[in-house]
Amino acid sequence: MADVTLTRFAYLDEATIGVLEADDFTCFTLENPWLENQVNISCIPEGEYKCDPFDGNKYKGVIEITDVVDRSAILFHAGNYPRETQGCILVGSAYDLSAPSVSYSKNTLAELIEKLGREFELEIRSSRAILD
């Protein structure tokens, strides 16, 4: 099982941007801004999580981040803009800070699953000093 680290580095009004790294895989992430872990509008707290395969009605073949305090159905799934996430983590091969987004999300998610599988340990941490 791969160990994966998500380091958040840009805390914007509309979104949080980070970098996800594991072994030979790297991509960028887009999440909601930090709004005190409020359901559907905030990114999740920093910490260590287990990720498992998830197949739901809307999202199939994706990854669920489990055991998030006071939250459920937090997924890694494809999407490019803050409006396309309700607390989940979107992935992409590039990012834009001026109009917060990630790009090539579907391909990046497929590559993430191919390289890391859908079951892994995730550490989410902050690197606020990079852009503050």
Side-chain angles (χ1 to χ4, degrees):
M1 193 175 343
D3 287 329
V4 181
T5 302
L6 190 169
T7 305
R8 295 171 174 158
F9 62 84
Y11 294 83
L12 310 170
D13 290 341
E14 325 76 306
T16 301
I17 303 207
V19 60
L20 185 84
E21 300 173 291
D23 297 328
D24 64 344
F25 178 78
T26 300
C27 71
F28 296 99
T29 60
L30 181 120
E31 304 172 77
N32 290 121
W34 174 248
L35 296 170
E36 305 300 325
N37 199 34
Q38 295 178 68
V39 175
N40 293 335
I41 62 168
S42 177
C43 59
I44 63 174
E46 295 172 12
E48 295 183 6
Y49 300 98
K50 183 165 181 351
C51 296
D52 290 315
F54 181 85
D55 290 291
N57 292 330
K58 183 174 180 180
Y59 296 103
K60 298 187 182 316
V62 296
I63 302 162
E64 180 177 21
I65 303 164
T66 62
D67 300 326
V68 179
V69 174
D70 297 326
R71 303 283 292 277
S72 62
I74 305 298
L75 308 175
F76 278 100
H77 66 78
N80 302 98
Y81 303 99
R83 68 179 177 270
E84 297 172 320
T85 181
Q86 295 180 333
C88 295
I89 301 175
L90 310 179
V91 296
S93 62
Y95 68 92
D96 184 345
L97 292 176
S98 61
S101 61
V102 290
S103 51
Y104 307 105
S105 189
K106 287 182 183 176
N107 291 343
T108 304
L109 181 64
E111 185 181 355
L112 184 156
I113 291 169
E114 178 186 319
K115 295 207 176 207
L116 306 180
R118 293 196 302 152
E119 187 174 339
F120 51 85
E121 300 292 325
L122 173 67
E123 178 187 359
I124 299 176
R125 61 186 179 197
S126 172
S127 181
R128 286 184 181 267
I130 293 175
L131 291 179
D132 282 354

